[in-house]
Amino acid sequence: YRKLVNLSPTGIVITVDRKIDYINDTTLKMVGLEKEEDLLGMDILDLVPPDQIAKSKLIQNAIKEKGGLSTPVTVNFTTIQGRYTEMEIMASTFKLYNKDAVMYIFQDVTERNKSKKDVEERETRYRALFEMSVDAIFLAKDGIITDCNQAALEMFEGKYEDMIGISPAQISPEFQP
């Protein structure tokens, strides 16, 4: 099991009485450390950035009341080298050495969230270009109009709901100039 945990691409930390008892190599890389000795015996709450205390309390309360977190909580974290990361954290309690222990699972979601934000920003820019264009624009899939802008509605003197779901041929003259 130790080999499985050590090879995991997910960060794993085990605490006993809130003290770090085990940390896998993935977690060390995530926080920018090389040796587990740098964190062993440390109180897990000492690693919480001051601006993330509220989320940490949410996590700790879920651990006490429910035995863990069944849905991830995202926490912002800065590594030792100063690199900003976003970590999704899950946790579960269990018994170890006849004491209460908690297994924390960390997933670095920085790049995923950055990509998602970039896509949303591009969508906003393209939507603005689409809506503000003075040229009539139709979007179609399989020959059926799925969206159009205000300029298209004005050009064809139609309502949005009348344009969606029809073929451009239905609103085009039989013979094109």
Side-chain angles (χ1 to χ4, degrees):
Y1 288 119
R2 182 173 289 276
K3 190 177 251 186
L4 175 69
V5 171
N6 278 332
L7 294 173
S8 172
T10 303
I12 299 172
V13 173
I14 296 174
T15 62
V16 177
D17 297 329
R18 286 194 358 209
K19 304 285 186 221
I20 296 173
D21 187 69
Y22 172 81
I23 183 167
N24 72 346
D25 291 341
T26 303
T27 307
L28 289 172
K29 289 175 189 166
M30 286 178 175
V31 299
L33 293 172
E34 293 181 16
K35 299 178 289 189
E36 65 180 10
E37 294 80 30
D38 295 335
L39 294 175
L40 290 179
M42 184 180 237
D43 189 314
I44 189 89
L45 297 181
D46 289 343
L47 297 175
V48 177
D51 63 331
Q52 299 295 301
I53 295 295
K55 284 188 181 178
S56 176
K57 287 181 181 177
L58 173 77
I59 293 166
Q60 295 305 314
N61 286 340
I63 290 169
K64 285 178 189 171
E65 295 170 10
K66 301 175 188 172
L69 286 169
S70 56
T71 44
V73 172
T74 302
V75 174
N76 301 326
F77 183 79
T78 304
T79 66
I80 301 300
Q81 293 84 5
R83 184 177 68 88
Y84 171 81
T85 61
E86 295 176 57
M87 299 282 191
E88 278 186 349
I89 300 174
M90 294 182 68
S92 182
T93 59
F94 67 103
K95 290 286 187 189
L96 183 66
Y97 316 125
N98 292 322
K99 295 182 179 182
D100 292 331
V102 179
M103 176 176 57
Y104 294 89
I105 300 172
F106 299 89
Q107 184 70 43
D108 187 340
V109 294
T110 309
E111 287 304 313
R112 181 185 74 192
N113 288 349
K114 183 182 178 307
S115 294
K116 183 179 175 185
K117 186 177 176 184
D118 289 347
V119 167
E120 289 169 354
E121 287 173 1
R122 282 195 302 275
E123 165 71 21
T124 300
R125 285 195 308 268
Y126 288 119
R127 176 57 61 181
L129 287 171
F130 177 79
E131 292 296 337
M132 298 172 80
S133 176
V134 295
D135 295 319
I137 302 173
F138 290 104
L139 298 178
K141 182 175 182 180
D142 298 326
I144 302 297
I145 297 172
T146 59
D147 201 359
C148 64
N149 66 354
Q150 186 61 38
L153 296 175
E154 291 169 8
M155 177 184 277
F156 289 94
E157 299 175 345
K159 294 180 182 171
Y160 183 82
E161 55 272 7
D162 295 335
M163 301 289 234
I164 304 306
I166 64 170
S167 166
Q170 292 176 259
I171 55 172
S172 298
E174 186 177 351
F175 298 101
Q176 299 293 321

